């Protein structure tokens, strides 16, 4: 019937609207994370460490997982790898040839 088709179309529209709103929310979150990381890369280790904590560990309540030593180690790893990337030839990077360094920190549980 016409009423059931109208109801079905309305349901489809509502689902599409919900998906659209959800995608917009995720895009805002993504752009917020990227902006925070970019600020951290330019402003210094404290800003980068703060962005890492907010985006990786903000929901984590276990103090054995979240601690200053781990954030410091992760910040140092990112800085080291950025230097390694900068020293790679552009040709290798454009071909997708990247040799990432290891992250072998042992502070209680491995991150």
């Amino acid at each position: 019937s016409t009423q059931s088709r109208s109801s079905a179309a309305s349901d489809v529209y509502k689902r599409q609207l919900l998906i659209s709103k959800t995608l917009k929310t995720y895009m805002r979150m993504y752009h917020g994370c990227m902006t925070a990381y970019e600020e951290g890369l330019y402003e210094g280790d404290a800003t980068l460490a703060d962005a890492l904590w907010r985006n990786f560990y903000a929901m984590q309540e276990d103090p054995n997982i979240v601690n200053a030593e781990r954030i410091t180690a992760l910040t140092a790893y990112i800085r080291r790898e950025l230097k390694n990337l900068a020293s790679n030839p552009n040709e290798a990077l454009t071909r997708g040839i990247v040799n990432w360094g290891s992250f072998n920190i042992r502070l209680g549980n491995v991150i």
Side-chain angles (χ1 to χ4, degrees):
S1 77
T2 305
Q3 189 175 18
S4 64
R5 281 185 293 209
S6 176
S7 177
S10 176
D11 289 344
V12 168
Y13 174 75
K14 288 177 186 176
R15 282 190 297 247
Q16 288 174 341
L17 188 59
L18 178 63
I19 291 169
S20 177
K21 287 180 180 180
T22 303
L23 286 175
K24 286 178 184 177
T25 298
Y26 285 137
M27 287 302 296
R28 279 194 299 276
M29 290 169 54
Y30 170 79
H31 288 293
C33 287
M34 293 303 107
T35 299
Y37 295 143
E38 186 174 6
E39 287 175 357
L41 294 175
Y42 288 107
E43 292 182 18
D45 286 353
T47 305
L48 179 57
D50 184 53
L52 290 167
W53 183 86
R54 277 194 323 270
N55 295 313
F56 277 103
Y57 297 111
M59 302 282 187
Q60 185 57 251
E61 295 177 7
D62 184 349
N64 295 318
I65 293 175
V66 182
N67 61 48
E69 291 174 296
R70 288 188 174 176
I71 297 294
T72 300
L74 187 55
T75 301
Y77 173 78
I78 290 169
R79 293 286 182 201
R80 184 185 77 204
E81 291 308 304
L82 284 173
K83 287 179 185 176
N84 288 341
L85 282 174
S87 69
N88 281 322
N90 286 339
E91 179 183 316
L93 294 175
T94 57
R95 291 178 52 212
I97 301 171
V98 178
N99 295 313
W100 298 106
S102 62
F103 186 69
N104 294 328
I105 188 154
R106 301 273 185 220
L107 297 170
N109 297 325
V110 177
I111 297 175

